[in-house]
Amino acid sequence: MYGIPIYRKTLGIEVQLSSIGKGAQNPFPDNPIIRAPNVLIECVEIYTATQLTITPSGLTTVTDAGLTGLIVNLADNTNFNRVFQLPAVALNVELNNGVPREFEPFKLVMQKSFIQITDATNLVVNQAVYVNISYFEQPDQTKSKRR
Amino acid sequence: MKPGLNLTQFPKIYQSKTISIVVPKGTNNKSPIFFDFDSIIDNSIIRGVQFEPLTNIKNASLLPNSVVADISDAKTAVISLVNKHDDTIINNYPVNGLFIYPKNDSASPRHTKMMKRFFLEIILGKCYLIWTGGTTANNLYFYFTFYYEAKKE
């Protein structure tokens, strides 16, 4: 069954491609919101220059063509690769008939997640991959529950 | 199969309100441009937000030196939505991500076919748009339709 995720909170993240050599890994920047222990992510979108040409910090966004040379790795707090070598194109909504990818919620560890280069042909150093992460805060489980 | 709690096939529309925000002529920095306060939006639950470009609403703005922002303008604009606790719950979301492309539009053959769905309580006067592009030649009117329902007491 397909559905459309309902966004409760989202966060724009810029992954700067500081290295575009084949196989180079460009880590996600750490973020205090995502790092919070009770925050789980449920949807990830990637935007290209077709939708946003310049990021809020002023970097140039990767093009559609450039996106085909990128794969995404997302790790959770148990060092498990929840998303392993997913083509970045799969996370662009426009290129996928308008459907965002929804994940079973998991705890994303940004410092262990990265975007890897498979083909640098249409990429430029210090371009940015603009990622939008939809997340929510889990209820505090340390409180006792009445059964 | 038990469907996910966050899985709904089609958006429901309860009520809607289309609101404009102006990027003034000559804007060339990334300072936030705030929406006006709106008591209806502030007392509602937002279920959907849609960007309405010039393609959808021609001649909506009749003021001098003013134009309605189109899809190309939205490529250098992001919006942030803020709740009553001053938390930016939607952070720097690309405006083009809120637009449903017209079917068979030759300029944009790809389609964003579905409206993005939200479940938010926001204070509109604290929400803002950031213009990331170069100096604007005109007053640029960005139109957004908010789909909302009243909060249950």
Side-chain angles (χ1 to χ4, degrees), chain A residues 39-93:
Chain A
V39 166
L40 301 180
I41 73 156
E42 55 186 347
C43 180
V44 178
E45 290 178 71
I46 289 181
Y47 286 89
T48 64
T50 310
Q51 297 107 40
L52 183 72
T53 50
I54 300 171
T55 66
S57 72
L59 297 174
T60 308
T61 315
V62 170
T63 60
D64 285 350
L67 205 62
T68 58
L70 300 173
I71 51 175
V72 179
N73 290 266
L74 302 178
D76 70 8
N77 56 343
T78 63
N79 287 332
F80 185 67
N81 274 318
R82 291 294 293 258
V83 172
F84 181 62
Q85 296 190 346
L86 178 72
V89 172
L91 297 176
N92 181 278
V93 172

Coordinates of all heavy atoms in Angstrom, one line a residue, chain A residues 39-93:
Chain A
V39 N 14.8 11.7 18.7 CA 14.3 12.1 17.4 C 14.5 11.0 16.4 O 15.6 10.4 16.3 CB 15.1 13.4 16.9 CG1 15.0 13.6 15.4 CG2 14.6 14.6 17.7
L40 N 13.5 10.6 15.7 CA 13.5 9.6 14.7 C 13.2 10.2 13.3 O 12.4 11.1 13.2 CB 12.5 8.5 14.9 CG 12.7 7.7 16.3 CD1 11.6 6.7 16.4 CD2 14.0 7.1 16.4
I41 N 13.8 9.7 12.3 CA 13.5 10.3 10.9 C 12.6 9.3 10.2 O 12.6 8.1 10.4 CB 14.8 10.6 10.1 CG1 15.4 9.3 9.6 CG2 15.8 11.4 10.9 CD1 16.3 9.5 8.4
E42 N 11.8 9.9 9.3 CA 10.8 9.0 8.6 C 10.7 9.3 7.1 O 10.1 8.5 6.4 CB 9.4 9.2 9.2 CG 8.9 10.7 9.3 CD 7.6 10.9 10.0 OE1 6.9 9.8 10.3 OE2 7.3 12.0 10.3
C43 N 11.4 10.4 6.7 CA 11.3 10.6 5.2 C 12.6 11.5 4.9 O 13.0 12.3 5.6 CB 10.0 11.4 4.9 SG 9.9 11.8 3.1
V44 N 13.1 11.2 3.7 CA 14.3 12.0 3.2 C 14.0 12.4 1.8 O 13.6 11.5 1.0 CB 15.6 11.1 3.3 CG1 16.8 11.9 2.8 CG2 15.9 10.7 4.7
E45 N 14.2 13.6 1.5 CA 14.1 14.1 0.1 C 15.4 14.8 -0.3 O 16.1 15.4 0.6 CB 13.0 15.2 0.1 CG 11.6 14.8 0.3 CD 10.7 16.0 0.2 OE1 10.5 16.6 -0.9 OE2 10.2 16.5 1.3
I46 N 15.7 14.7 -1.5 CA 16.9 15.4 -2.1 C 16.4 16.3 -3.2 O 15.6 15.9 -4.0 CB 18.0 14.4 -2.6 CG1 18.6 13.7 -1.4 CG2 19.0 15.1 -3.4 CD1 19.7 12.7 -1.9
Y47 N 16.9 17.6 -3.1 CA 16.5 18.6 -4.1 C 17.7 18.9 -5.0 O 18.8 18.9 -4.5 CB 16.0 19.8 -3.4 CG 14.7 19.7 -2.8 CD1 14.5 19.2 -1.5 CD2 13.5 19.9 -3.6 CE1 13.2 19.0 -1.0 CE2 12.3 19.8 -3.0 CZ 12.1 19.3 -1.7 OH 10.9 19.2 -1.2
T48 N 17.4 19.1 -6.3 CA 18.5 19.4 -7.2 C 18.3 20.9 -7.7 O 17.3 21.6 -7.3 CB 18.4 18.5 -8.5 OG1 17.2 18.8 -9.2 CG2 18.5 17.1 -8.1
A49 N 19.2 21.3 -8.6 CA 19.1 22.7 -9.1 C 17.8 23.0 -9.8 O 17.5 24.1 -10.1 CB 20.3 23.0 -9.9
T50 N 17.1 21.9 -10.3 CA 15.9 22.1 -11.0 C 14.8 22.7 -10.0 O 13.9 23.4 -10.4 CB 15.3 20.7 -11.5 OG1 16.4 20.1 -12.2 CG2 14.1 20.9 -12.4
Q51 N 14.9 22.4 -8.7 CA 14.0 23.0 -7.8 C 14.6 24.1 -6.9 O 13.9 25.0 -6.5 CB 13.5 21.9 -6.8 CG 12.8 20.7 -7.5 CD 13.6 19.5 -7.6 OE1 14.3 19.1 -6.6 NE2 13.5 18.8 -8.7
L52 N 15.9 24.0 -6.6 CA 16.5 25.0 -5.8 C 17.9 25.2 -6.3 O 18.8 24.3 -6.1 CB 16.5 24.5 -4.3 CG 17.1 25.5 -3.3 CD1 16.2 26.7 -3.0 CD2 17.4 24.8 -2.0
T53 N 18.2 26.3 -6.9 CA 19.5 26.5 -7.5 C 20.6 26.9 -6.5 O 21.8 26.5 -6.7 CB 19.5 27.6 -8.6 OG1 18.9 28.8 -8.1 CG2 18.7 27.1 -9.8
I54 N 20.2 27.7 -5.5 CA 21.2 28.1 -4.5 C 20.7 27.8 -3.1 O 19.5 28.1 -2.8 CB 21.5 29.6 -4.6 CG1 22.0 30.0 -6.0 CG2 22.5 30.1 -3.6 CD1 22.1 31.4 -6.3
T55 N 21.5 27.2 -2.3 CA 21.1 26.8 -1.0 C 21.0 28.0 0.0 O 21.6 29.1 -0.4 CB 22.0 25.8 -0.4 OG1 23.3 26.4 -0.2 CG2 22.2 24.6 -1.3
P56 N 20.4 27.9 1.1 CA 20.3 29.1 2.0 C 21.7 29.6 2.4 O 21.8 30.7 2.8 CB 19.5 28.5 3.2 CG 18.7 27.4 2.6 CD 19.5 26.8 1.5
S57 N 22.7 28.7 2.4 CA 24.0 29.2 2.8 C 24.8 29.7 1.6 O 26.0 30.1 1.7 CB 24.8 28.1 3.5 OG 25.2 27.1 2.6
G58 N 24.2 29.7 0.4 CA 24.8 30.3 -0.8 C 25.6 29.3 -1.7 O 26.2 29.7 -2.6
L59 N 25.5 28.0 -1.4 CA 26.2 27.0 -2.3 C 25.3 26.7 -3.5 O 24.1 26.8 -3.4 CB 26.5 25.7 -1.5 CG 27.4 25.9 -0.3 CD1 27.5 24.6 0.5 CD2 28.8 26.3 -0.7
T60 N 26.0 26.3 -4.5 CA 25.3 25.9 -5.7 C 24.8 24.4 -5.5 O 25.5 23.6 -5.1 CB 26.2 26.0 -7.0 OG1 26.7 27.3 -7.0 CG2 25.4 25.7 -8.2
T61 N 23.5 24.2 -5.9 CA 23.0 22.8 -5.7 C 23.4 21.9 -6.9 O 23.5 22.4 -8.0 CB 21.5 22.9 -5.6 OG1 21.1 24.0 -4.8 CG2 20.9 21.7 -5.0
V62 N 23.5 20.7 -6.6 CA 23.8 19.7 -7.6 C 22.7 19.6 -8.6 O 21.5 19.7 -8.3 CB 24.1 18.3 -6.9 CG1 24.2 17.2 -7.9 CG2 25.3 18.3 -6.0
T63 N 23.1 19.4 -9.9 CA 22.1 19.3 -10.9 C 21.5 17.8 -11.0 O 22.0 16.9 -10.4 CB 22.7 19.6 -12.3 OG1 23.7 18.6 -12.5 CG2 23.3 21.0 -12.3
D64 N 20.4 17.7 -11.8 CA 19.8 16.4 -12.0 C 20.9 15.4 -12.6 O 21.0 14.2 -12.1 CB 18.7 16.4 -13.0 CG 17.4 17.1 -12.5 OD1 17.4 17.2 -11.2 OD2 16.5 17.4 -13.2
A65 N 21.7 15.9 -13.5 CA 22.7 15.0 -14.1 C 23.8 14.6 -13.1 O 24.2 13.5 -13.0 CB 23.4 15.8 -15.3
G66 N 24.1 15.6 -12.2 CA 25.1 15.3 -11.2 C 24.6 14.3 -10.2 O 25.3 13.5 -9.6
L67 N 23.3 14.3 -10.0 CA 22.7 13.4 -9.0 C 22.9 12.0 -9.3 O 23.0 11.1 -8.5 CB 21.2 13.7 -8.9 CG 20.5 13.4 -7.5 CD1 21.1 14.2 -6.4 CD2 19.0 13.6 -7.7
T68 N 23.0 11.7 -10.6 CA 23.2 10.3 -11.0 C 24.5 9.7 -10.7 O 24.7 8.5 -10.8 CB 23.0 10.1 -12.6 OG1 23.9 11.0 -13.2 CG2 21.6 10.5 -13.0
G69 N 25.4 10.6 -10.3 CA 26.8 10.1 -9.8 C 26.9 10.0 -8.3 O 28.0 10.0 -7.8
L70 N 25.8 10.0 -7.6 CA 25.8 10.0 -6.2 C 25.0 8.8 -5.6 O 24.0 8.5 -6.1 CB 25.2 11.3 -5.6 CG 25.9 12.6 -6.0 CD1 25.1 13.8 -5.6 CD2 27.3 12.7 -5.5
I71 N 25.5 8.2 -4.5 CA 24.8 7.3 -3.7 C 24.7 7.7 -2.3 O 25.6 8.3 -1.8 CB 25.3 5.8 -3.9 CG1 26.8 5.8 -3.6 CG2 25.0 5.3 -5.3 CD1 27.4 4.4 -3.6
V72 N 23.7 7.2 -1.6 CA 23.5 7.7 -0.2 C 23.6 6.5 0.8 O 23.1 5.4 0.5 CB 22.0 8.3 -0.1 CG1 21.8 8.8 1.3 CG2 21.9 9.4 -1.1
N73 N 24.3 6.8 1.8 CA 24.4 5.8 2.9 C 23.9 6.5 4.2 O 24.5 7.5 4.6 CB 25.9 5.4 3.1 CG 26.4 4.5 2.0 OD1 26.3 3.3 2.0 ND2 26.8 5.2 0.9
L74 N 23.0 5.9 4.9 CA 22.5 6.4 6.1 C 22.6 5.3 7.2 O 22.2 4.2 7.0 CB 21.0 6.8 6.0 CG 20.6 7.8 5.0 CD1 19.1 8.0 4.9 CD2 21.3 9.1 5.2
A75 N 23.3 5.7 8.3 CA 23.5 4.7 9.4 C 22.7 5.1 10.6 O 22.3 6.2 10.9 CB 25.0 4.8 9.8
D76 N 22.3 4.0 11.4 CA 21.5 4.3 12.6 C 22.4 4.2 13.8 O 23.6 4.0 13.7 CB 20.3 3.4 12.7 CG 20.6 1.9 12.9 OD1 21.8 1.6 13.2 OD2 19.7 1.1 12.8
N77 N 21.8 4.3 15.0 CA 22.6 4.3 16.2 C 23.1 3.0 16.7 O 23.8 2.9 17.7 CB 21.8 5.0 17.4 CG 20.5 4.2 17.6 OD1 20.0 3.5 16.7 ND2 19.9 4.5 18.7
T78 N 22.8 1.9 15.9 CA 23.5 0.6 16.2 C 24.5 0.3 15.1 O 24.9 -0.9 14.9 CB 22.4 -0.5 16.2 OG1 21.8 -0.6 14.9 CG2 21.3 -0.2 17.2
N79 N 25.0 1.3 14.4 CA 26.0 1.2 13.3 C 25.4 0.3 12.2 O 26.2 -0.2 11.4 CB 27.3 0.6 13.8 CG 28.0 1.6 14.7 OD1 27.9 2.8 14.5 ND2 28.8 1.1 15.6
F80 N 24.1 0.2 12.1 CA 23.5 -0.6 11.0 C 23.3 0.3 9.8 O 22.8 1.4 10.0 CB 22.2 -1.2 11.5 CG 21.6 -2.1 10.6 CD1 22.2 -3.3 10.2 CD2 20.4 -1.8 10.0 CE1 21.5 -4.2 9.3 CE2 19.7 -2.7 9.1 CZ 20.3 -3.9 8.8
N81 N 23.6 -0.1 8.7 CA 23.4 0.7 7.5 C 21.9 0.6 7.1 O 21.5 -0.4 6.4 CB 24.2 0.2 6.3 CG 25.6 0.8 6.3 OD1 25.7 2.0 6.5 ND2 26.6 0.0 6.0
R82 N 21.1 1.5 7.6 CA 19.7 1.5 7.2 C 19.4 1.8 5.8 O 18.5 1.3 5.2 CB 18.9 2.5 8.1 CG 18.9 2.1 9.6 CD 18.1 0.8 9.8 NE 16.7 1.0 9.5 CZ 15.7 1.2 10.4 NH1 16.0 1.1 11.6 NH2 14.5 1.3 10.0
V83 N 20.2 2.6 5.2 CA 20.2 2.8 3.8 C 21.6 2.7 3.2 O 22.5 3.4 3.6 CB 19.7 4.3 3.5 CG1 19.8 4.6 2.0 CG2 18.2 4.4 3.9
F84 N 21.8 1.7 2.4 CA 23.1 1.3 1.9 C 23.2 1.5 0.4 O 22.5 0.8 -0.3 CB 23.4 -0.1 2.3 CG 24.8 -0.6 1.9 CD1 25.9 0.0 2.4 CD2 25.0 -1.6 1.0 CE1 27.2 -0.4 2.0 CE2 26.2 -2.0 0.6 CZ 27.4 -1.4 1.1
Q85 N 24.0 2.4 0.0 CA 24.3 2.7 -1.4 C 23.0 2.9 -2.2 O 22.8 2.3 -3.3 CB 25.1 1.6 -2.0 CG 26.5 1.6 -1.3 CD 27.5 0.7 -2.0 OE1 27.2 -0.2 -2.8 NE2 28.8 0.8 -1.6
L86 N 22.1 3.7 -1.7 CA 20.8 4.0 -2.4 C 21.2 5.1 -3.5 O 21.7 6.1 -3.1 CB 19.8 4.5 -1.5 CG 18.4 4.9 -2.1 CD1 17.7 3.7 -2.6 CD2 17.6 5.7 -1.1
P87 N 20.8 4.9 -4.7 CA 21.0 6.0 -5.7 C 20.3 7.3 -5.2 O 19.1 7.2 -4.9 CB 20.4 5.4 -7.0 CG 20.4 4.0 -6.8 CD 20.2 3.7 -5.4
A88 N 21.0 8.4 -5.3 CA 20.5 9.6 -4.8 C 19.2 10.0 -5.6 O 18.3 10.7 -5.1 CB 21.5 10.7 -4.8
V89 N 19.2 9.6 -6.8 CA 18.0 9.9 -7.7 C 16.7 9.4 -7.1 O 15.7 10.0 -7.2 CB 18.2 9.3 -9.1 CG1 17.0 9.5 -9.9 CG2 19.4 10.0 -9.8
A90 N 16.8 8.3 -6.4 CA 15.6 7.7 -5.8 C 15.0 8.6 -4.7 O 13.8 8.4 -4.3 CB 16.0 6.3 -5.2
L91 N 15.7 9.5 -4.2 CA 15.2 10.4 -3.1 C 14.7 11.7 -3.7 O 14.3 12.6 -2.9 CB 16.2 10.6 -2.0 CG 16.6 9.3 -1.3 CD1 17.8 9.6 -0.3 CD2 15.4 8.7 -0.6
N92 N 14.8 11.9 -5.0 CA 14.3 13.2 -5.6 C 12.9 13.0 -5.9 O 12.5 12.1 -6.7 CB 15.2 13.6 -6.8 CG 14.7 14.9 -7.4 OD1 13.7 14.9 -8.2 ND2 15.3 16.0 -7.1
V93 N 12.0 13.8 -5.4 CA 10.6 13.6 -5.5 C 10.1 13.8 -7.0 O 9.3 13.0 -7.5 CB 9.8 14.5 -4.5 CG1 8.3 14.5 -4.8 CG2 10.1 14.1 -3.1

